[in-house]
Each structure stands twice: as C-alpha cells, then as structure tokens.
Amino acid sequence: MKKLRLKKGVIIGAYLIAFSITGMGAFFVSQNMKDNNPKEEDIEYVNSSIIEDNDIEVIKEETKLIKPYTAETIETLKYFYDYQADNASQEKSILYHENTYIQNSGMDFGSTDVFEVVAVLDGTVLDIREDELLGNIVEIKHDNDFISSYQSLSEVSVKKNDTVKQGQVIGKSGTNSIDQDLGNHLHFELYKAGEVVDPSKYFDQVITTDPSKDTTNDDTNTNEKTE
C-alpha cells in the first residue's frame, strides 16, 4: 500500500487554519464573559452612608381635640365650675334646679336652632342611654384614657360599640329637665383617667396616640359625674 504524503505547504496551511479557529473561539468566549460581567464603575457598593444609626423615627400621628359642634352660631351658655376661679366666673358655672345650686361638671353650648353634635375625637361608642333628668346621653371612649359625654340630645345617630371618626355627627341638640332655662342646647363633659376635667383646657390642644406623650394639660377635677 502506498503512503499518502502531504506537501509541506498543505501542512502549514492546515496548522494556520487550526490556530485561526482556536483563536477566534477564545476571542468570542472572552468577549462574552466581558458582556456578562458589569464594569467595575457600574457596581454600587453598600457603605456606611446608606445605613445610618441616626435614621429618622416615624412621627406619631397627632390630632387636636375639636369642639362638639360645627355651626358658627353656637354660644357657650355655661362653663365648667373651677374652684380656683373668681366669683364672677363661678356664677357662670352654677346650675339651679329645684331650689338647689349645682356646680357644673361640664360646658353647655346652645342656639335657638337645633344643631348637629359631633365627636371631638376618634373613638368607640361606650354607652347610649336615656336619663330622666339629662335626656339622651352618648358616651365615647377615646385614646389616652379620654371619655367624652354628650347630654341633652334630641336625636342619637350612632349605636353602642360603633367606631366613630372625629367630626362625625352623633346626634342633635335638645333639652333636659335639670336646666330647662337653657332651652335648646348640648351639655358636654370630658373625662380623663376617670376624672372630670375642664373641656375648655383641651379644645384645640394636641392629643397624641401615646398616653406617655400626651401634650395636653393634666389638670383634673374630682367632681362627681353629674351635671
């Protein structure tokens, strides 16, 4: 059998082709790796400037306690009885019923026309009842151990255990038997931690959701819950 012999030129050409194919393959692999790897300048590293120890705390929601009405024609008829007030102020805080003078444990707001009564804060209706002397009563429990009481109502538009929002209408003004001379009005009382307080010291004051951060006045009065 005859052996095939390749010419020297053919052998050299074959080697050149092989090297060319190998080189091109290596080039494409290298290029592909570069495309898949992000450039060093495009990489973002986490450093101390992103995570700080003094991050800003979430601010607690705060709201102001509003008055229990929205009509502009409402007047204050009687004030909360303050033992430290002068005689003139105390005279405006006395109720007279069946030959007896009674120290007012709330505030009375009136108008010639029946007006809507609104919740002073968000809360839950704690109780609804009809009193022989005080008329229809709605009590609402709020945060920070506050309870608001709305008396002398002619109409009630909420039910016990209802969740109410600040400014929501809960009823309408009316009359009662204990202070008939006031005519159409609302008798409003405010309690904090079980003690009756002067509502005028809390109106338009900021109330926080955290009892330990309450910024309202802490003045309380140990009067009994009676008008």
Coordinates of all heavy atoms in Angstrom, one line a residue, residues 105-182:
S105 N -70.4 70.4 85.9 CA -69.3 69.5 85.7 C -68.9 69.4 84.2 O -68.2 68.5 83.8 CB -69.6 68.1 86.2 OG -70.8 67.6 85.7
G106 N -69.4 70.3 83.4 CA -69.1 70.3 82.0 C -69.3 71.7 81.4 O -69.2 72.7 82.1
M107 N -69.6 71.8 80.2 CA -69.9 73.0 79.5 C -71.2 72.9 78.7 O -71.5 71.8 78.2 CB -68.8 73.4 78.5 CG -67.5 73.7 79.2 SD -66.2 74.2 78.1 CE -66.8 75.8 77.6
D108 N -72.0 74.0 78.6 CA -73.2 74.0 77.9 C -73.2 74.9 76.7 O -72.8 76.1 76.8 CB -74.4 74.4 78.8 CG -74.6 73.4 80.0 OD1 -75.3 72.4 79.8 OD2 -74.0 73.6 81.0
F109 N -73.5 74.4 75.6 CA -73.5 75.1 74.3 C -74.9 75.2 73.7 O -75.6 74.1 73.7 CB -72.6 74.5 73.3 CG -71.2 74.2 73.8 CD1 -70.8 73.0 74.3 CD2 -70.2 75.3 73.9 CE1 -69.5 72.8 74.8 CE2 -69.0 75.1 74.3 CZ -68.6 73.8 74.8
G110 N -75.3 76.4 73.3 CA -76.7 76.5 72.9 C -76.9 77.4 71.7 O -76.0 78.1 71.3
S111 N -78.1 77.2 71.1 CA -78.5 78.0 69.9 C -80.0 78.0 69.9 O -80.7 77.1 70.4 CB -77.9 77.4 68.7 OG -78.4 78.1 67.5
T112 N -80.6 79.0 69.2 CA -82.1 79.0 69.1 C -82.5 77.8 68.2 O -83.6 77.3 68.3 CB -82.5 80.3 68.5 OG1 -81.8 80.6 67.2 CG2 -82.3 81.5 69.4
D113 N -81.6 77.4 67.2 CA -82.0 76.3 66.3 C -81.3 75.0 66.8 O -80.2 75.1 67.3 CB -81.5 76.6 64.9 CG -82.3 77.9 64.4 OD1 -83.5 78.0 64.7 OD2 -81.6 78.7 63.7
V114 N -81.9 73.9 66.5 CA -81.3 72.6 66.8 C -80.1 72.5 65.9 O -80.1 72.8 64.7 CB -82.3 71.5 66.5 CG1 -81.6 70.1 66.6 CG2 -83.5 71.5 67.4
F115 N -79.0 72.0 66.5 CA -77.7 71.9 65.8 C -77.1 70.5 65.9 O -77.5 69.7 66.8 CB -76.7 72.9 66.2 CG -76.4 72.9 67.7 CD1 -75.3 72.1 68.2 CD2 -77.1 73.6 68.6 CE1 -75.0 72.0 69.6 CE2 -76.8 73.6 70.0 CZ -75.8 72.8 70.4
E116 N -76.3 70.1 64.9 CA -75.6 68.8 65.0 C -74.5 68.8 66.0 O -73.8 69.7 66.2 CB -75.1 68.5 63.6 CG -76.1 68.3 62.5 CD -75.6 68.0 61.2 OE1 -74.4 68.3 60.9 OE2 -76.3 67.3 60.3
V117 N -74.4 67.6 66.7 CA -73.4 67.4 67.7 C -72.4 66.4 67.1 O -72.8 65.3 66.5 CB -74.0 66.8 69.0 CG1 -72.9 66.5 70.0 CG2 -75.0 67.8 69.6
V118 N -71.1 66.7 67.2 CA -70.1 65.8 66.5 C -69.1 65.3 67.6 O -68.9 65.9 68.7 CB -69.3 66.6 65.5 CG1 -70.3 67.1 64.4 CG2 -68.5 67.8 66.1
A119 N -68.4 64.2 67.2 CA -67.4 63.6 68.1 C -66.2 64.5 68.1 O -65.7 64.9 67.1 CB -67.1 62.2 67.6
V120 N -65.6 64.7 69.3 CA -64.5 65.5 69.5 C -63.2 64.8 69.1 O -62.2 65.5 68.8 CB -64.4 66.1 70.9 CG1 -65.6 66.9 71.2 CG2 -64.2 64.9 71.9
L121 N -63.2 63.5 69.1 CA -62.0 62.7 68.7 C -62.5 61.4 68.1 O -63.7 61.0 68.2 CB -61.1 62.4 69.9 CG -60.3 63.5 70.5 CD1 -59.7 63.0 71.8 CD2 -59.2 64.0 69.5
D122 N -61.6 60.7 67.4 CA -61.9 59.3 67.0 C -62.2 58.5 68.3 O -61.6 58.7 69.3 CB -60.8 58.7 66.2 CG -60.5 59.3 64.9 OD1 -61.3 60.2 64.5 OD2 -59.5 59.0 64.3
G123 N -63.0 57.5 68.2 CA -63.3 56.6 69.3 C -64.3 55.6 69.1 O -64.7 55.3 68.0
T124 N -64.8 55.0 70.2 CA -65.8 53.9 70.1 C -66.9 54.3 71.1 O -66.7 54.7 72.2 CB -65.2 52.6 70.6 OG1 -64.1 52.2 69.7 CG2 -66.2 51.4 70.5
V125 N -68.1 54.1 70.6 CA -69.3 54.4 71.4 C -69.4 53.5 72.6 O -69.5 52.3 72.4 CB -70.6 54.4 70.6 CG1 -71.8 54.7 71.5 CG2 -70.5 55.4 69.4
L126 N -69.2 54.0 73.8 CA -69.1 53.2 75.0 C -70.5 52.9 75.6 O -70.8 51.8 76.0 CB -68.3 54.0 76.1 CG -68.0 53.2 77.4 CD1 -67.1 52.0 77.1 CD2 -67.3 54.2 78.3
D127 N -71.4 53.9 75.5 CA -72.8 53.8 76.0 C -73.7 54.7 75.4 O -73.3 55.9 75.1 CB -72.7 53.9 77.6 CG -74.0 53.5 78.3 OD1 -74.7 52.7 77.7 OD2 -74.3 54.1 79.4
I128 N -75.0 54.3 75.3 CA -76.1 55.2 74.9 C -77.2 54.9 75.9 O -77.6 53.8 76.1 CB -76.5 54.9 73.5 CG1 -75.4 55.2 72.5 CG2 -77.8 55.7 73.1 CD1 -75.7 54.9 71.1
R129 N -77.8 56.0 76.5 CA -78.9 55.8 77.4 C -79.7 57.0 77.5 O -79.3 58.1 77.0 CB -78.3 55.4 78.8 CG -77.5 56.5 79.5 CD -77.0 56.0 80.8 NE -76.3 57.1 81.5 CZ -75.0 57.4 81.3 NH1 -74.3 56.7 80.4 NH2 -74.4 58.3 82.0
E130 N -80.9 56.9 78.0 CA -81.8 58.0 78.2 C -82.0 58.2 79.7 O -82.4 57.3 80.5 CB -83.2 57.7 77.6 CG -84.2 58.8 77.7 CD -85.5 58.5 76.9 OE1 -85.6 57.5 76.3 OE2 -86.4 59.4 77.0
D131 N -81.7 59.4 80.1 CA -81.8 59.8 81.5 C -83.0 60.7 81.8 O -83.3 61.6 81.0 CB -80.5 60.5 82.0 CG -80.4 60.7 83.5 OD1 -80.9 61.8 83.9 OD2 -79.9 59.9 84.2
E132 N -83.6 60.5 82.9 CA -84.8 61.2 83.2 C -84.6 62.7 83.3 O -85.4 63.5 82.9 CB -85.4 60.7 84.5 CG -86.8 61.3 84.9 CD -87.4 60.7 86.1 OE1 -87.1 59.5 86.4 OE2 -88.2 61.4 86.8
L133 N -83.4 63.1 83.9 CA -83.1 64.5 84.0 C -82.2 65.0 82.9 O -82.4 66.2 82.5 CB -82.4 64.7 85.4 CG -83.2 64.5 86.7 CD1 -82.3 64.7 87.9 CD2 -84.4 65.4 86.7
L134 N -81.3 64.2 82.4 CA -80.3 64.7 81.5 C -80.6 64.5 80.0 O -79.9 65.0 79.1 CB -78.9 64.1 81.8 CG -78.4 64.3 83.2 CD1 -77.1 63.5 83.4 CD2 -78.2 65.7 83.5
G135 N -81.7 63.7 79.8 CA -82.1 63.5 78.4 C -81.3 62.4 77.8 O -80.6 61.5 78.5
N136 N -81.2 62.3 76.5 CA -80.4 61.3 75.8 C -78.9 61.6 75.9 O -78.5 62.7 75.8 CB -80.8 61.2 74.3 CG -82.2 60.7 74.1 OD1 -82.6 59.7 74.7 ND2 -82.9 61.4 73.2
I137 N -78.2 60.5 76.2 CA -76.7 60.6 76.5 C -75.9 59.7 75.6 O -76.3 58.5 75.4 CB -76.4 60.3 78.0 CG1 -77.2 61.3 78.9 CG2 -74.9 60.4 78.2 CD1 -77.0 60.9 80.4
V138 N -74.9 60.2 75.0 CA -73.9 59.3 74.3 C -72.5 59.5 74.9 O -72.1 60.6 75.1 CB -73.9 59.7 72.8 CG1 -72.8 58.9 72.1 CG2 -75.2 59.5 72.1
E139 N -71.9 58.4 75.2 CA -70.5 58.4 75.7 C -69.6 57.7 74.8 O -69.9 56.6 74.3 CB -70.5 57.7 77.1 CG -71.2 58.5 78.2 CD -71.0 57.8 79.6 OE1 -70.6 56.6 79.6 OE2 -71.4 58.5 80.6
I140 N -68.5 58.3 74.5 CA -67.5 57.8 73.5 C -66.1 57.7 74.2 O -65.7 58.6 74.9 CB -67.4 58.7 72.3 CG1 -68.7 58.8 71.6 CG2 -66.3 58.2 71.3 CD1 -68.7 59.8 70.4
K141 N -65.5 56.5 74.0 CA -64.2 56.3 74.6 C -63.1 56.6 73.6 O -63.2 56.1 72.4 CB -64.1 54.8 75.1 CG -62.7 54.5 75.7 CD -62.7 53.0 76.2 CE -61.3 52.7 76.8 NZ -60.9 53.6 77.9
H142 N -62.1 57.3 74.0 CA -61.0 57.7 73.1 C -59.7 57.2 73.6 O -59.6 56.6 74.7 CB -60.9 59.2 72.9 CG -62.3 59.9 72.7 ND1 -62.9 59.9 71.5 CD2 -63.1 60.5 73.5 CE1 -64.0 60.5 71.5 NE2 -64.2 60.9 72.8
D143 N -58.6 57.4 72.8 CA -57.3 57.1 73.3 C -56.9 58.0 74.4 O -57.5 59.0 74.7 CB -56.2 57.3 72.2 CG -56.4 56.2 71.1 OD1 -57.0 55.1 71.4 OD2 -55.9 56.4 69.9
N144 N -55.8 57.6 75.1 CA -55.2 58.4 76.2 C -56.2 58.5 77.4 O -56.2 59.5 78.2 CB -54.9 59.8 75.8 CG -53.7 59.9 74.8 OD1 -53.6 59.0 74.0 ND2 -52.9 60.8 75.0
D145 N -57.1 57.5 77.6 CA -58.0 57.4 78.7 C -59.0 58.5 78.7 O -59.5 59.0 79.8 CB -57.2 57.4 80.0 CG -56.5 56.1 80.3 OD1 -56.9 55.1 79.8 OD2 -55.4 56.1 80.9
F146 N -59.3 59.1 77.5 CA -60.4 60.1 77.5 C -61.7 59.5 77.2 O -61.9 58.5 76.4 CB -60.0 61.1 76.3 CG -59.0 62.1 76.7 CD1 -57.7 62.0 76.2 CD2 -59.4 63.3 77.4 CE1 -56.8 63.0 76.6 CE2 -58.5 64.2 77.7 CZ -57.2 64.1 77.3
I147 N -62.7 60.1 77.8 CA -64.1 59.7 77.5 C -64.9 61.0 77.4 O -64.8 61.9 78.2 CB -64.8 58.9 78.7 CG1 -64.1 57.5 78.7 CG2 -66.3 58.7 78.4 CD1 -64.7 56.6 79.8
S148 N -65.7 61.2 76.3 CA -66.5 62.3 76.1 C -68.0 62.0 76.3 O -68.4 60.9 75.9 CB -66.2 63.0 74.7 OG -66.5 62.0 73.7
S149 N -68.7 62.9 76.9 CA -70.1 62.6 77.2 C -71.0 63.7 76.6 O -70.7 64.9 76.9 CB -70.3 62.5 78.7 OG -71.7 62.3 79.0
Y150 N -72.0 63.4 75.8 CA -72.8 64.3 75.1 C -74.2 64.1 75.7 O -74.8 63.1 75.5 CB -72.8 64.1 73.6 CG -71.4 63.9 73.1 CD1 -70.7 62.7 73.2 CD2 -70.7 65.0 72.4 CE1 -69.4 62.6 72.7 CE2 -69.4 64.9 71.9 CZ -68.8 63.7 72.1 OH -67.5 63.5 71.6
Q151 N -74.8 65.1 76.3 CA -76.0 65.0 77.0 C -77.1 66.0 76.5 O -76.7 67.0 75.7 CB -75.8 65.2 78.5 CG -74.8 64.3 79.1 CD -74.5 64.5 80.6 OE1 -75.2 65.3 81.2 NE2 -73.4 64.0 81.1
S152 N -78.3 65.8 76.8 CA -79.4 66.7 76.4 C -79.7 66.5 74.9 O -80.1 67.5 74.2 CB -79.1 68.2 76.7 OG -78.8 68.3 78.0
L153 N -79.4 65.4 74.3 CA -79.6 65.2 72.9 C -81.1 64.9 72.6 O -81.8 64.2 73.3 CB -78.8 64.0 72.4 CG -77.2 64.1 72.6 CD1 -76.6 62.9 72.1 CD2 -76.7 65.4 71.9
S154 N -81.6 65.5 71.5 CA -82.9 65.2 71.0 C -82.9 64.0 70.1 O -84.0 63.4 69.9 CB -83.5 66.5 70.3 OG -82.7 66.8 69.1
E155 N -81.8 63.8 69.4 CA -81.7 62.7 68.5 C -80.3 62.0 68.6 O -79.3 62.7 68.9 CB -81.8 63.1 67.0 CG -83.2 63.6 66.7 CD -83.3 64.0 65.2 OE1 -82.5 63.5 64.4 OE2 -84.2 64.7 64.8
V156 N -80.2 60.7 68.5 CA -79.0 60.0 68.5 C -78.8 59.2 67.2 O -79.7 58.5 66.8 CB -78.9 59.0 69.7 CG1 -77.7 58.2 69.7 CG2 -79.0 59.8 71.0
S157 N -77.7 59.4 66.5 CA -77.5 58.8 65.2 C -76.4 57.7 65.2 O -75.9 57.3 64.2 CB -77.2 59.8 64.2 OG -76.1 60.6 64.6
V158 N -76.0 57.2 66.4 CA -75.0 56.1 66.5 C -75.5 55.1 67.4 O -76.5 55.3 68.1 CB -73.6 56.7 67.0 CG1 -73.0 57.6 66.0 CG2 -73.8 57.4 68.3
K159 N -74.8 53.9 67.4 CA -75.2 52.8 68.3 C -74.0 52.4 69.1 O -72.9 52.7 68.8 CB -75.6 51.6 67.4 CG -76.8 51.9 66.5 CD -77.2 50.6 65.7 CE -76.1 50.0 64.9 NZ -75.7 50.9 63.8
K160 N -74.3 51.7 70.2 CA -73.3 51.3 71.1 C -72.3 50.4 70.4 O -72.7 49.6 69.5 CB -73.9 50.5 72.3 CG -72.9 50.1 73.4 CD -73.6 49.4 74.5 CE -72.6 49.0 75.6 NZ -73.2 48.4 76.8
N161 N -71.0 50.6 70.6 CA -69.9 49.8 70.0 C -69.5 50.3 68.6 O -68.6 49.8 68.0 CB -70.1 48.3 70.0 CG -70.2 47.8 71.4 OD1 -69.5 48.2 72.3 ND2 -71.1 46.8 71.6
D162 N -70.2 51.3 68.1 CA -69.9 51.9 66.8 C -68.5 52.6 66.9 O -68.2 53.2 67.9 CB -70.9 52.9 66.4 CG -72.1 52.3 65.7 OD1 -72.2 51.1 65.6 OD2 -73.1 53.1 65.4
T163 N -67.7 52.5 65.8 CA -66.5 53.2 65.7 C -66.8 54.5 65.0 O -67.4 54.5 63.9 CB -65.4 52.4 64.9 OG1 -65.2 51.2 65.6 CG2 -64.2 53.2 64.8
V164 N -66.4 55.6 65.7 CA -66.7 57.0 65.1 C -65.4 57.7 64.8 O -64.4 57.5 65.4 CB -67.6 57.8 66.1 CG1 -69.0 57.1 66.2 CG2 -66.9 58.0 67.4
K165 N -65.5 58.6 63.9 CA -64.4 59.5 63.5 C -64.6 60.9 64.0 O -65.7 61.3 64.2 CB -64.3 59.5 61.9 CG -63.9 58.2 61.3 CD -62.5 57.8 61.7 CE -62.0 56.5 61.0 NZ -60.6 56.1 61.4
Q166 N -63.5 61.5 64.2 CA -63.6 62.9 64.7 C -64.4 63.7 63.7 O -64.2 63.7 62.5 CB -62.2 63.5 64.8 CG -62.1 64.9 65.4 CD -60.7 65.5 65.4 OE1 -60.1 65.6 64.4 NE2 -60.3 65.9 66.6
G167 N -65.3 64.5 64.3 CA -66.2 65.4 63.4 C -67.4 64.7 62.9 O -68.3 65.3 62.3
Q168 N -67.6 63.4 63.2 CA -68.7 62.6 62.7 C -70.0 63.0 63.6 O -69.9 63.2 64.8 CB -68.5 61.1 62.9 CG -69.7 60.3 62.5 CD -69.4 58.8 62.6 OE1 -68.3 58.3 62.5 NE2 -70.4 58.0 62.8
V169 N -71.1 63.2 62.9 CA -72.3 63.6 63.6 C -72.8 62.4 64.4 O -73.0 61.3 63.9 CB -73.4 64.0 62.6 CG1 -74.7 64.3 63.4 CG2 -72.9 65.3 61.9
I170 N -73.0 62.6 65.7 CA -73.5 61.5 66.6 C -74.9 61.8 67.1 O -75.5 60.9 67.7 CB -72.6 61.3 67.8 CG1 -72.5 62.6 68.6 CG2 -71.2 60.9 67.3 CD1 -71.7 62.4 69.9
G171 N -75.4 63.0 66.9 CA -76.8 63.3 67.3 C -77.1 64.8 67.1 O -76.4 65.5 66.4
K172 N -78.2 65.2 67.7 CA -78.6 66.7 67.6 C -78.9 67.2 69.0 O -79.3 66.5 69.9 CB -79.8 66.8 66.7 CG -79.5 66.5 65.3 CD -80.7 66.8 64.4 CE -80.3 66.5 62.9 NZ -81.5 66.8 62.0
S173 N -78.8 68.5 69.2 CA -79.0 69.2 70.4 C -80.5 69.1 70.8 O -81.4 68.8 70.0 CB -78.6 70.6 70.4 OG -79.4 71.3 69.3
G174 N -80.7 69.3 72.1 CA -82.1 69.2 72.6 C -82.3 69.9 74.0 O -81.6 70.9 74.2
T175 N -83.1 69.4 74.8 CA -83.3 69.9 76.1 C -83.3 68.8 77.2 O -83.3 67.7 76.8 CB -84.7 70.6 76.2 OG1 -85.7 69.7 75.9 CG2 -84.8 71.8 75.2
N176 N -83.2 69.3 78.4 CA -83.3 68.3 79.5 C -84.1 68.9 80.7 O -84.6 70.1 80.6 CB -82.0 67.8 80.0 CG -81.1 68.9 80.5 OD1 -81.6 69.9 81.1 ND2 -79.8 68.8 80.3
S177 N -84.3 68.2 81.7 CA -85.1 68.6 82.8 C -84.3 69.4 83.9 O -84.9 70.1 84.7 CB -85.9 67.4 83.5 OG -86.7 66.8 82.5
I178 N -83.0 69.2 83.9 CA -82.3 69.7 85.0 C -81.9 71.2 84.8 O -81.7 72.0 85.8 CB -81.0 68.9 85.3 CG1 -80.4 69.2 86.7 CG2 -79.9 69.2 84.2 CD1 -79.3 68.3 87.1
D179 N -81.9 71.7 83.6 CA -81.6 73.1 83.3 C -82.5 73.6 82.1 O -81.9 73.9 81.1 CB -80.1 73.3 83.1 CG -79.5 72.3 82.1 OD1 -80.3 71.6 81.5 OD2 -78.3 72.3 82.0
Q180 N -83.8 73.6 82.4 CA -84.7 73.9 81.3 C -84.5 75.4 80.8 O -84.9 75.7 79.7 CB -86.1 73.7 81.8 CG -86.4 72.2 82.1 CD -87.9 72.0 82.6 OE1 -88.5 73.0 83.0 NE2 -88.3 70.8 82.7
D181 N -84.0 76.2 81.7 CA -83.9 77.6 81.3 C -82.9 77.8 80.1 O -82.9 78.8 79.4 CB -83.4 78.4 82.5 CG -84.4 78.5 83.6 OD1 -85.6 78.3 83.3 OD2 -84.0 78.8 84.8
L182 N -82.0 76.8 79.9 CA -81.1 76.9 78.8 C -81.7 76.7 77.5 O -81.1 77.0 76.4 CB -79.9 75.9 79.0 CG -79.0 76.2 80.3 CD1 -77.9 75.1 80.3 CD2 -78.5 77.6 80.3

